[in-house]
Amino acid sequence: MRDDRFCNSNCPFTRAIGTIGNKWKPIIINVIGTRTIRFGQLDSIVPHISRKVLTEQLKELEEDGLLERFAYKELPPRVEYKLSEKGLAFLPILESIKEWNCKYEVAPIPGEAGKKSRVNYARMP
């Protein structure tokens, strides 16, 4: 759920955190990456998220201009998502965050030492 106190702040950093600052949005953006993806695929890739929350987060990302939604009038209905130009511009920031975490992570997952990222959702099928 979006916190309008953050989104309406005078500070650009606070507004940015209001737009992308919950645990699900960066994960969803990372999963979508540069591809077009259907809701069911997102639901199966993003761990531990309910369909209700995923729907809410996708709607907010679309409202904030980070995501484009394509609804096809078919039976059964088909909806696809892809990142907008604004969303694609956020991918290098996410990569920097992943690199920062790998460098300074205090307790890496056992058996994962030396790997670039613990989970790379963007490359999952």
Side-chain angles (χ1 to χ4, degrees), residues 24 39 43 46-57:
W24 295 117
F39 180 87
D43 185 43
V46 179
H48 314 295
I49 189 171
S50 70
R51 293 174 71 89
K52 177 183 181 278
V53 171
L54 178 57
T55 300
E56 291 169 355
Q57 299 303 297

Side-chain angles (χ1 to χ4, degrees), residues 50-77:
S50 70
R51 293 174 71 89
K52 177 183 181 278
V53 171
L54 178 57
T55 300
E56 291 169 355
Q57 299 303 297
L58 289 169
K59 183 177 179 183
E60 288 181 15
L61 286 166
E62 183 183 9
E63 289 171 357
D64 291 334
L66 293 162
L67 189 68
E68 296 175 358
R69 180 182 186 270
F70 301 95
Y72 298 93
K73 295 184 181 199
E74 301 174 346
L75 288 175

Side-chain angles (χ1 to χ4, degrees), residues 2 16 18-21 25-26 29 32-33 57-69 81-91:
R2 184 190 333 250
T19 301
I20 50 91
K25 288 180 183 176
I29 292 169
I32 295 172
Q57 299 303 297
L58 289 169
K59 183 177 179 183
E60 288 181 15
L61 286 166
E62 183 183 9
E63 289 171 357
D64 291 334
L66 293 162
L67 189 68
E68 296 175 358
R69 180 182 186 270
Y81 298 93
K82 75 174 195 172
L83 295 180
S84 65
E85 180 181 343
K86 183 178 178 181
L88 289 168
F90 189 61
L91 290 177

